[in-house]
Amino acid sequence: MNFSNILQTVLIYALPVLFAITVHEAAHGYVARHFGDPTAARLGRVTLNPFKHIDPVGTILMPLILYFATSGAFLFGYAKPVPVNFGALRNPKRDMVWVALAGPASNFVQAIAWALLMVALVATGVEERFFLEMARAGVLVNLVMWAFNLFPLPPLDGGRVLVGLLPWKQAQMVSRVEPWGFFIVMALVLAGVVGTWWLLPLMKLGYAAINLLLTPFVALLA
């Protein structure tokens, strides 16, 4: 692998990834505080300071190792999860859905923002490849986080949404999966199930929605 290409790729993705994980985690904490749980706020996690959310292994070391080990074919990472005391929420079963959705929703909003930036760069005649690639990376990274975190299995956000929506008996059955959920998801990722049957369809839908939302802006700037 060409070192200069690797360095450029890391620099292109660094800012979008930092924003993606920081806003994602802060959104969980903010919505939890809104619905009555101040745990994250008391620990200083309702902040846009990326150093409060970065996990040295999950955010930096693991993605770098996987990038070099697979020549960029497979990447995975995670931030420090924001602590939420669901029992402190005013309506735990209902409010946990909103807390869980806050993270993926923040990523979708960021994907729209990066797409808008790309449109603005093109419309103003900016041809610098680095900035255009960073905007594209911002859309991609956030759509991946949005889609992946919505996978309906605890401890992912989609799993918590599912637990919040199901009747109590079924919700308890799904929540019991959480201790092994991470390993199950990783196995499904490696088997190609998550990518083929979840990520790709959902990301196609996400790109289509963003293109539709941006059509008026493109027409206006054309």
Side-chain angles (χ1 to χ4, degrees), residues 126-138:
V126 175
E127 297 180 357
E128 174 55 51
R129 177 180 171 272
F130 180 82
F131 296 116
L132 293 172
E133 289 298 322
M134 182 181 287
R136 289 192 187 94

Side-chain angles (χ1 to χ4, degrees), residues 27-60:
H28 283 312
Y30 177 81
V31 175
R33 183 178 64 182
H34 175 77
F35 284 109
D37 174 30
T39 306
R42 286 173 179 167
L43 295 173
R45 297 296 304 279
V46 185
T47 175
L48 294 180
N49 178 1
F51 295 105
K52 292 286 187 177
H53 306 291
I54 288 175
D55 182 284
V57 174
T59 312
I60 301 171

Side-chain angles (χ1 to χ4, degrees), residues 2-43:
N2 187 293
F3 180 75
S4 63
N5 288 340
I6 294 173
L7 181 60
Q8 188 174 49
T9 300
V10 170
L11 291 175
I12 285 170
Y13 277 86
L15 196 60
V17 168
L18 278 177
F19 272 118
I21 64 172
T22 298
V23 178
H24 179 106
E25 296 301 334
H28 283 312
Y30 177 81
V31 175
R33 183 178 64 182
H34 175 77
F35 284 109
D37 174 30
T39 306
R42 286 173 179 167
L43 295 173

